[in-house]
Amino acid sequence: MPGTAQTTAAAQEERHERPVPTEEQVLEAMKEVIDPELMVNVVDLGLIYGVTIDDEANVVLDMTLTSPACPLTDQLEWSSEAALDGIANTVTINWVWMPPWSLECITDEGREQLRYIGFNV
């Protein structure tokens, strides 16, 4: 299909011309990613330990979970890709377990959200 090659080339060119997002823009977009168990976004839960952005707008997130046995990694990966679509060319999640996540990682905003839904934090 002749149109397919042109469409693919145009999509690749568009991705490379995308402006490189800032860490703040990435974190703001990641507030759309909600932990399905706690119903608070992953940023305010303190699940994002680091953000790396290269010159081609590829994003690597160092991210953890509330528990290493959490079965929701696939869902969080899909949600992260959707949240960063439009500002990142690619999204890679580097799952990290050290230091272990704890309640101290939660932001004040995250604590307020948890209290609102009945958690005592």
Side-chain angles (χ1 to χ4, degrees):
M1 292 189 219
T4 304
Q6 290 175 336
T7 303
T8 302
Q12 288 174 343
E13 185 175 317
E14 178 183 323
R15 285 184 5 187
H16 291 296
E17 291 181 12
R18 180 173 290 147
V20 176
T22 64
E23 181 175 343
E24 292 77 22
Q25 289 171 316
V26 168
L27 291 173
E28 188 62 33
M30 287 298 293
K31 288 185 177 182
E32 296 177 22
V33 180
I34 306 298
D35 181 285
E37 292 180 319
L38 296 175
M39 302 308 296
V40 174
N41 72 72
V42 297
V43 175
D44 286 324
L45 280 176
L47 299 179
I48 298 178
Y49 285 179
V51 177
T52 305
I53 308 159
D54 71 13
D55 292 340
E56 294 181 0
N58 300 305
V59 173
V60 177
L61 300 170
D62 290 335
M63 196 165 162
T64 195
L65 299 169
T66 56
S67 164
C70 179
L72 300 171
T73 55
D74 288 344
Q75 183 175 352
L76 290 171
E77 287 176 1
W78 297 324
S79 296
S80 297
E81 289 171 3
L84 296 174
D85 185 43
I87 67 169
N89 284 329
T90 63
V91 178
T92 303
I93 297 180
N94 178 30
W95 295 107
V96 295
W97 309 111
M98 289 298 178
W101 181 86
S102 68
L103 294 175
E104 288 77 34
C105 297
I106 304 172
T107 66
D108 289 341
E109 177 67 25
R111 289 175 189 282
E112 185 176 316
Q113 292 173 48
L114 286 169
R115 283 188 205 102
Y116 182 77
I117 58 175
F119 287 92
N120 184 19
V121 289

